[in-house]
Amino acid sequence: MSDKNNTSDVGRETRPNGLAFHSGWMNTLGRFLALLLVFAFFAVLVDGGKFYTVRNLENIIRQSAVYATAGLGMTMVIITGGIDLSVGSIIALSVVVVACVLDLSAGGVGDAHYLINQWPVLLPILAVLAGVAAATLAGMANGSMIVGLRLVPFIVTLGSMGMVRGLAKGIADERDIYPPEDTWISSIMDPTLTSADRSWMVLPPGVWLLLVGVAAAWFLLRYTRLGRHIYAVGSNEETARLCGVRVGRTKMVVYAMTGFFCGLAGLMQFSYIGGVGQPTTAVMYELFIIAAVIIGGASFSGGEGSILGTLIGALIITILYMGGQQMGWPKWVQEMVIGGIIIAAVTLDQVRHRKMV
Amino acid sequence: MADDTRSENNDSLALRLEMRGVRKRFGATHALVGVDLAVKPGEVMALVGENGAGKSTLMKVLSGAHPADAGSMRLDGEPYVPCNPLHARQCGVAMIYQELSLAPHLSVMENILLGVEPTRGMLLNRKAMRERALAAQQEVGMGHVSPDIKVSSLSPGQQQLVEIARAVTLECRVLVLDEPTSSLTRHDIENLFALVQRLKAQGLSIVYISHFLEEVREISDRFTVLRDGETVGGGITADTTTHEIITMMVGREVDDLYPRSARSPGDVVLEVNELGGERLPVSASLCLRRGEILGMAGLIGAGRTELMRAVFGLDGVREGNVKVGIYSGIADPARRWKQGVGMVSEDRKNEGLAGGLSVADNVTLSHLRGLGPWRFVLPSRQRKACHRWLRQIPIKCQSPAQPVNALSGGNQQKVAVARLLHADVDVLLLDEPTRGVDVGSKAQIYELIDDLARGDPDIGRPPKAILMISSYLPELLGVCDRIAVMCRGRLGEARQVDEWDDHRLMIAATGHDRLAIAGDGVLSDV
């Protein structure tokens, strides 16, 4: 797809067909190889084969699930040519709301309390719904500001990053919430393969949830009108508008979905950090999540990105992070490495684009 | 009398698209001052006119991008008032612009059916999508291309077909093609023409906008000429000679506001050999002497600005070379300034001047040496240096400290030229030096250019060499010593100005050279 082909019309009719069809899979394959490479790097360097024990592999998957789940929404946002910096804060909001609802069983009076005592099954369900709903609402707020006020996504979500974090702290009264009893929510991310009585699940429920989300998001992007419109908006917004795509509504839905997926990620985070409603959790996650999406092949200029790529990106980020930890790298080195990787990924993306155009 | 009105009514009933007395004003500029256009079903109507005649404004009104200030539009006899481009499309008026509007990341079929995707419940009906896309593709003659290919991997010609296919699936009634052949190969152009003929046979009305009269002759049934925002004529293409069309397009006299003192061309200071840019120009050679003004004529998009930018080192060079005086080799703007070459950009606002900065800053920007001890720049010295030019040129402003965007267009342009004088360049590259400038300032700029080319032995200023681009033909004919015409990226031979006139320039710019060479001053159609 270089310049030279543009002049000859005859040759290109058959050739790009094959190229274009395979290029998506080739890209994913390339990223998969990168993933293997990064894994192999730490597998060799970390002493005593500790890096590829079942326990460690499971930890990698558990940790990356949070990034990947939030990354599903972020992928769509970035495909539309936008960005969402508030994802870390939305995850924290979801964590805090879940903990708060679970905390209701601790005390209080009134009908609600009576109901909770009568039907203890209801409480965790209510907590999940509330957490996800709060996160979705936060996402919708982002979307409506971007569409309604015609502001740049970067600015809106930069602002809401602070606002949502503040809201989470306010709900939690600036301290960690410890719900009185452990419910099934706290254990959705607990190890399975390494615990005898849970090994029948193979993967933690939270990771299964992620896989369902991956399938749904992949399907949505590929097989629905909305999915095509998401790509069209990012590829050429004016054209999309001209062709009757409701650009505003598409963006709105995309940010709301990001909120929704961050809500799910919040459930996982809640369990991962041990069933605590910590308002200061998931700080800097926006960095990791955006990095995962970009490493996964999405382009900041919009129109490109894939769910499978994001999944691989999340794994790469997690392996770098955990591998660095196990190598005994200080935290500042890890942070610098991940920052550097983002710049490298974007550079690579640009080089690839220059070749295409 | 009564019969006349009846027949006119009948006529207008049979019209697909009718525009009457359409006017449009932007601020103080009257872009359209009364345009009439009528297109019948199954007809190709060519819309021709010089740069700036109002064609693009007219299309924007037709596509609903801008509302008309006055006048009426009818589509198949019904009043047609598009509120935005989407509404216009839904009414059946589709535009194919020079700049294609496709989503490059999406596939052919996704682009064709963007916004009208067939669905089954919530899901895309990919089978129906493929069938409909293929049907549309077959109609536009690209049935052999897979509907799954990404649009960005297609050639410009095929991308254009995708856009036309999109219009076809919408069952449009009027298809507007704006300079559709400007980026196409000869082969693609033939395909496109065949397609236009097929669509026409199906009863579609086609408005074909083009500079290239050869194409207009080949494809259109009738033509309409716009000049200065007004319909000045039209007719049946087959009954009209190219000469007549050009007369309608140009239709004005050369004013007598161009001073021309005796100039004596000296050494060659700029030599361009077979220069090819990254995209444009395709190939250009020229040679410029001290004390000479060389003009470049051509249509917008012919590659004149690209040539100038490549010479100045702003854009990359594919092949060929540029020699400035004794220097050849790598080009970048900083080096060019040092070699004594300066450029005035056509885009004053974005490129030419730093709008928020003062007049003094703008004048001295490219040459800050000697404005203070060591490498310091003292504002007082900047202002002093600037003062000299304010008086010499003269530039009307309150003080050198005034922000340059507070000045009038003409004075801004003079500031841009003063920068070249301050840097004491030998070669001036002027791109549309009088664009957006009132008549009074224009005369002053012409005088300045003439003055520079002559040189001034009294103050020890040698003659300068000037390369100038202009789309205003009388200006080129009035100011330049020699003129070369660029057409589709190729620069023709530079000839003495008295060998040119409006007609010949227009003919060369529209790719009709053969005619000009054939007759001895008398144009005839082949």
Side-chain angles (χ1 to χ4, degrees), chain B residues 189-201:
Chain B
I189 293 176
E190 274 157 24
N191 273 343
L192 177 72
F193 282 5
L195 170 61
V196 168
Q197 295 297 356
R198 281 205 303 280
L199 294 174
K200 177 181 129 180

Side-chain angles (χ1 to χ4, degrees), chain A residues 275-311:
Chain A
V276 188
Q278 197 181 48
T280 52
T281 189
V283 169
M284 289 279 279
Y285 273 31
E286 53 280 341
L287 175 71
F288 300 140
I289 293 162
I290 293 170
V293 175
I294 294 299
I295 291 173
S299 159
F300 269 130
S301 49
E304 272 183 279
S306 85
I307 293 295
L308 289 183
T310 297
L311 201 59

Side-chain angles (χ1 to χ4, degrees), chain A residues 175-227:
Chain A
R175 57 183 175 80
D176 295 355
I177 300 173
Y178 294 91
E181 0 176 353
D182 273 355
T183 54
W184 54 265
I185 305 179
S186 342
S187 62
I188 57 168
M189 292 307 278
D190 287 356
T192 45
L193 288 178
T194 44
S195 85
D197 56 329
R198 283 164 64 87
S199 62
W200 60 270
M201 295 181 189
V202 186
L203 293 170
V207 177
W208 284 116
L209 182 64
L210 163 68
L211 292 180
V212 171
V214 165
W218 182 77
F219 192 77
L220 183 140
L221 279 180
R222 195 168 160 73
Y223 291 105
T224 67
R225 242 178 116 146
L226 176 65

Side-chain angles (χ1 to χ4, degrees), chain B residues 249-270:
Chain B
M249 284 167 71
V250 178
R252 47 169 128 75
E253 299 296 313
V254 181
D255 300 324
D256 202 23
L257 44 80
Y258 309 103
R260 185 191 286 271
S261 43
R263 299 168 197 153
S264 46
D267 323 331
V268 173
V269 284
L270 176 69

